[in-house]
């Protein structure tokens, strides 16, 4: 019985949170157009449903608050109360309390809501236009079912929704089971090849497993609009605090992505949007002087790119001054002056994602965008993604979160180092090339080569893996050991990867194949390794480490700037 109660509570929370977010969106719409009948009716309908569900669950606090909100919306709907600014702000505060009460169902925390409930009740009592109102909204709602009872039996019918709600925990369990099934399928196919069995014997198993795998993955996919729609209220509140006029534009809301990915990057998105309002968008006076519209625009957009989803936060504000950042990184001692001069604008801008950058004071000369941006970078990297930034002075900035569409399955390149198999996420791989030894040159403690008319860093992964500590990378000739042992005419397979606009060539022993893998976190104490991001199990039963491209890129870049 307790399990059923817990399941019902999970379903209530799922629907209640969706209702809360929809209310935020509708209240903003109503604030812009107080006469919007559609918004008024929708709010009334949602709070009425939420009240009934809360009463059924025995959640008295939510029921009481939504009851008074329902009475207010009923009075507005019937023209008895006018929606003025004071009432609008009170409804926003009531909805905030409602959100806190919904969260408290899960956390058990106590939430004070009586104050706002009483304020709304008193406001309703004092501002009704009609003096005599003996029949209130409760009695009206009691009479409705009576009318329905008079309907004939032929008119009655029972309908079922076309959608069922499943707790995320159950979906995660299914994902794990399917992952084990995929591993067992690969093992059987590998064993069959060794024993000389025809691959056709496993075609049906492979097809069914693949279809099941993708079906389960799709069940956990949600539209990014689920996250984007939450930002109407965030933009509204941030703009009010900054005394700015800001419009929010949403694009690509129909793009689907793994729910867990959205959950992980949601806090980063909040930071980016608030930053765009507070520091990206200029004041109304400054915008008018620059010939811009008085109201700024923030655009949240999503699009597919290969196996990834690119989520962008754009503003039409003042942009980021690369030279200001260049001066700041020298002042903070992050880079020597002569090195800073040689860095590209892209490399300079990437320093705003460094931990501690600009948190000593409020950095107005670079629009304050460095504060907390390292958290954004870590969130994207934690799901195997990356973050990039584009900016133009006077026109605005765009920050792109490039994340996998699913955490359950990812494309990977398998390769070999010293008879050990490794994997690298296909999302980072730009190309696989072959270089001769004479095409690679030593420079400032590292190796470089030409790729598409560009000079890129080359690193032999074997040298990095063999380092006792990453700090040893600064020692002389540590990155030359494998290179020096090679013969002049040998061909070297190189995987070209990109991260934050930096292109790096990873030299390997042998390229094996492209494959879809189920990546799992590293167990302790291996989770402390900065060069490995996870593991997967191959069809032959061996454990295959997954290389962390972002960590390698950062280590090589910092080593380069220290040596130049």
């Amino acid at each position: 019985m307790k399990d059923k109660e817990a399941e019902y509570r999970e379903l209530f929370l799922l629907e209640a949170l969706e209702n809360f977010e929809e209310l935020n969106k509708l209240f903003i719409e109503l604030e812009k157009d107080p006469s919007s009948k559609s918004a008024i009716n929708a709010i009334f309908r949602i709070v009425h449903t939420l009240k009934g569900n809360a009463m059924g669950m025995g959640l008295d606090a939510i029921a009481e608050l939504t009851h008074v909100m329902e009475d207010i919306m009923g009075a507005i709907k019937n023209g008895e109360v006018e929606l003025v600014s004071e009432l609008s702000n009170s409804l926003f505060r009531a909805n905030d309390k409602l959100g806190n009460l919904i969260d408290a169902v899960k956390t058990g925390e106590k939430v004070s809501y009586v104050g706002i409930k009483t304020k709304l009740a008193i406001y309703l009592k004092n501002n009704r236009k009609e003096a005599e109102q003996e029949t209130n909204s409760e009695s009206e709602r009691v009479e409705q079912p009576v009318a329905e009872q008079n309907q004939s039996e032929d008119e009655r019918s029972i309908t079922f929704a076309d959608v069922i709600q499943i707790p995320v925990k159950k979906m995660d369990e299914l994902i794990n089971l399917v992952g084990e099934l995929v591993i067992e399928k690969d093992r059987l196919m590998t064993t069959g090849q060794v024993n000389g069995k025809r691959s056709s014997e496993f075609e049906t198993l492979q097809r069914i497993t693949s279809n099941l795998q993708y079906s389960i993955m799709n069940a956990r996919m949600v539209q990014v609009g689920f996250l984007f729609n939450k930002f109407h209220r965030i933009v509204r509140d941030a703009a009010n605090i900054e005394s700015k006029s800001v419009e929010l534009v949403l694009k690509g809301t129909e793009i689907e992505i793994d729910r867990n990915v959205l959950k992980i990057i949601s806090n980063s998105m909040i930071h980016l949007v608030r930053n765009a309002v507070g520091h990206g968008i200029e004041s109304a006076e400054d915008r008018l002087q620059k010939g811009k519209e008085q109201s700024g625009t923030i655009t949240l957009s999503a699009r597919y790119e290969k196996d990834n989803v690119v989520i962008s936060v754009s503003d039409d504000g003042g942009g980021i001054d690369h030279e200001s950042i260049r001066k700041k990184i020298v002042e903070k001692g992050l880079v020597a002056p002569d090195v800073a001069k040689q860095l590209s604008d892209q490399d300079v801008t990437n320093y705003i994602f460094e931990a501690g950058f600009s948190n000593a004071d409020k950095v107005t000369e670079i629009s304050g965008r460095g504060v907390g941006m390292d958290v954004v970078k870590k969130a994207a990297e934690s799901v195997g993604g990356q973050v990039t930034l584009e900016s133009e002075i006077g026109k605005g900035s765009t920050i792109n979160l490039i994340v996998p569409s699913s955490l359950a399955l990812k494309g990977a390149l398998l390769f070999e180092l010293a008879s050990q198999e490794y994997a690298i996420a296909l999302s980072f791989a730009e190309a696989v090339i072959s270089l001769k030894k004479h095409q690679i040159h030593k420079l400032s403690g590292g190796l470089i080569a030409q790729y598409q008319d560009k000079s890129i860093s080359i690193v032999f992964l074997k040298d990095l893996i063999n380092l006792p500590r990453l700090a040893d990378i600064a020692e002389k000739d540590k990155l030359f050991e494998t290179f020096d042992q090679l013969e002049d005419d040998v061909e070297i397979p190189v995987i070209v990867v990109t991260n934050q606009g930096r292109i790096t060539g990873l030299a390997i022993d042998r390229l094996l194949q492209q494959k879809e893998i189920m990546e799992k976190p590293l167990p302790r104490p291996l989770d402390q390794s900065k060069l490995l991001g996870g593991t997967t199990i191959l069809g032959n039963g061996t454990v295959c480490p997954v290389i962390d491209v972002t960590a390698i890129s950062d280590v090589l870049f910092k080593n380069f700037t220290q040596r130049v």
Side-chain angles (χ1 to χ4, degrees), residues 4 53 120 163 213 222 233 367 439 442 480 519:
K4 281 292 182 183
N53 291 344
L120 287 175
V163 178
Q213 186 176 14
V222 296
R233 178 66 186 279
S367 299
Q439 295 176 298
K442 295 181 180 179
F480 298 154
E519 185 178 350

Side-chain angles (χ1 to χ4, degrees), residues 244-246 281-285 287-288 291-297:
K244 296 177 180 178
S245 176
V246 182
I281 302 295
E282 312 97 325
S283 65
E285 294 79 9
R287 292 183 65 85
L288 290 175
K292 296 183 176 181
E293 294 289 336
Q294 182 174 346
S295 179
T297 301

